[in-house]
Amino acid sequence: MLSVPDIVRRLDLASGTIEGCPTTERRLSDLRGVFADSDAYESALQQQDPLIYRVSTIQEGTGQGELHCGLGVLMPGRVGSEYFMTKGHLHSWRPAAEFYIGLKGRGIMLLETDVGNDSVWCNLLPESLVHVPGNTAHRTVNIGDEPLVYIGIYPSDAGHDYSTLTARNFRLVVVAGSHGPKVIRRTDFPAHRLP
Ligand code: PAN
Ligand code: ZN
């Protein structure tokens, strides 16, 4: 049966929630191992355990051809010189692609092949859309002063594999430089100094 209340959902862009949908919150304590600067991470966590991001999902549809989606709100802030970011993942069903749509704020997406041999980054901005191809790990980074709000739409059978990236992390790191955000290789991170 077609039912309009099930078809139309209200998005609350301020809180990053979709009316009537489950929401997952990630705090700093949920992101151990994500930041390259582990000393800065531990000392930030001793001060407080702030909310880093929230994702509200529509994931009721199942079966071939169905879609799921997540509304993400990623807070502004840094751990040391690294901007707040999501855990990042591969889709468990590796061929599953995803569209990200920027709604508010200024972000960067890190994209990396599933085997980790190629990486790129791109902007995630309002009125722009990012196609994350299949077999590609993806992470969102807030480089602005306000919450970064975006939607991701993906096949219902994509699934989320966090453990592969927990083990190896992304090759690229986004840091605050003296001339604004810059993307460096993780292997170059120890040489990086706070502006
Ligand atoms: C997004 C992500 C969202 C949160 O909806 O789930 O940005 O990031 P993590 O899942 O890496 O914590 C998505 O890509 N879904 O597939
Ligand atoms: Zn995804």
Side-chain angles (χ1 to χ4, degrees):
M1 286 289 284
L2 291 174
S3 135
V4 171
D6 290 340
I7 293 170
V8 181
R9 305 293 179 96
R10 281 202 62 77
L11 308 180
D12 181 342
L13 300 191
S15 62
T17 52
I18 308 174
E19 192 178 41
C21 292
T23 296
T24 301
E25 294 198 332
R26 302 278 187 213
R27 297 193 165 270
L28 189 59
S29 54
D30 298 313
L31 299 181
R32 176 160 275 112
V34 161
F35 295 91
D37 190 339
S38 49
D39 291 345
Y41 174 81
E42 296 302 339
S43 68
L45 196 52
Q46 275 177 6
Q47 306 301 308
Q48 51 181 337
D49 188 15
L51 175 72
I52 307 296
Y53 62 98
R54 180 183 289 129
V55 190
S56 193
T57 49
I58 299 179
Q59 48 192 6
E60 293 111 40
T62 54
Q64 221 177 13
E66 261 299 349
L67 297 172
H68 286 177
C69 91
L71 172 66
V73 57
L74 175 56
M75 301 306 164
R78 280 172 16 196
V79 168
S81 60
E82 294 167 88
Y83 295 96
F84 284 180
M85 64 186 114
T86 58
K87 286 178 101 161
H89 60 268
L90 282 155
H91 291 148
S92 309
W93 179 46
R94 293 288 192 266
E98 182 161 358
F99 277 121
Y100 270 69
I101 302 164
L103 299 175
K104 288 171 87 174
R106 284 198 314 136
I108 278 180
M109 287 194 74
L110 301 180
L111 305 178
E112 186 169 301
T113 52
D114 51 353
V115 291
N117 60 349
D118 193 16
S119 315
V120 293
W121 66 273
C122 65
N123 289 309
L124 178 62
L125 297 169
E127 298 181 46
S128 77
L129 183 143
V130 175
H131 175 240
V132 179
N135 303 293
T136 306
H138 41 290
R139 165 175 281 167
T140 311
V141 185
N142 186 348
I143 57 165
D145 303 326
E146 58 176 316
L148 174 71
V149 187
Y150 57 91
I151 281 190
I153 302 171
Y154 47 95
S156 61
D157 42 5
H160 293 84
D161 166 11
Y162 293 98
S163 55
T164 302
L165 272 303
T166 303
R168 74 159 193 251
N169 218 328
F170 284 72
R171 295 201 313 183
L172 299 178
V173 178
V174 188
V175 294
S178 42
H179 302 294
K182 62 178 188 175
V183 182
I184 61 171
R185 288 194 303 257
R186 183 171 299 276
T187 48
D188 292 338
F189 185 83
H192 181 76
R193 294 283 173 267
L194 278 170

